[in-house]
């Protein structure tokens, strides 16, 4: 998960911010799980930064397992080997 660094003191010094949290996941989760993730991250940003709901942005990107690799092996290939 990649989060744009923004602290409470930075937000207060620079005025209202629009924090953006970007999450990249391997594609395979149910929509309900993604929705809960969005809600949980939103709530955490709100609590940590005291930012109004309408200013918070959360983006989830799902990547096919054939398009994600680690150590030169795709996630799909790892799943086939398991």
């Amino acid at each position: 998960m990649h989060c744009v660094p923004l602290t409470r003191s930075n937000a207060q010094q620079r005025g209202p911010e629009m924090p953006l949290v970007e999450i990249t996941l391997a594609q395979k989760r149910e929509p309900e799980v993604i929705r809960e993730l969005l809600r949980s991250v939103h709530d955490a940003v709100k609590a940590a930064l005291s930012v109004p709901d309408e200013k918070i942005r959360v983006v989830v990107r799902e990547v096919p397992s054939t398009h994600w690799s680690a150590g030169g092996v795709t996630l799909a290939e790892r799943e086939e080997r398991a």
Side-chain angles (χ1 to χ4, degrees), residues 8-82:
R8 184 183 300 235
S9 60
N10 287 343
Q12 291 170 345
Q13 290 171 4
R14 296 188 301 184
E17 294 288 331
M18 286 192 166
L20 170 63
V21 179
E22 297 177 271
I23 302 167
T24 304
L25 300 171
Q27 194 174 47
K28 65 181 174 184
R29 291 169 178 82
E30 295 296 322
E32 300 80 23
V33 173
I34 299 296
R35 182 66 188 103
E36 179 60 23
L37 174 63
L38 291 166
R39 187 198 62 73
S40 296
V41 171
H42 174 95
D43 291 348
V45 170
K46 182 176 180 174
L49 301 178
S50 299
V51 179
D53 288 331
E54 63 273 7
K55 299 283 187 179
I56 300 169
R57 306 291 187 260
V58 182
V59 177
V60 174
R61 291 183 181 86
E62 291 187 288
V63 178
S65 60
T66 56
H67 291 67
W68 185 314
S69 73
V73 179
T74 68
L75 296 178
E77 292 166 336
R78 288 174 193 263
E79 290 170 4
E80 288 174 6
R81 294 178 187 170

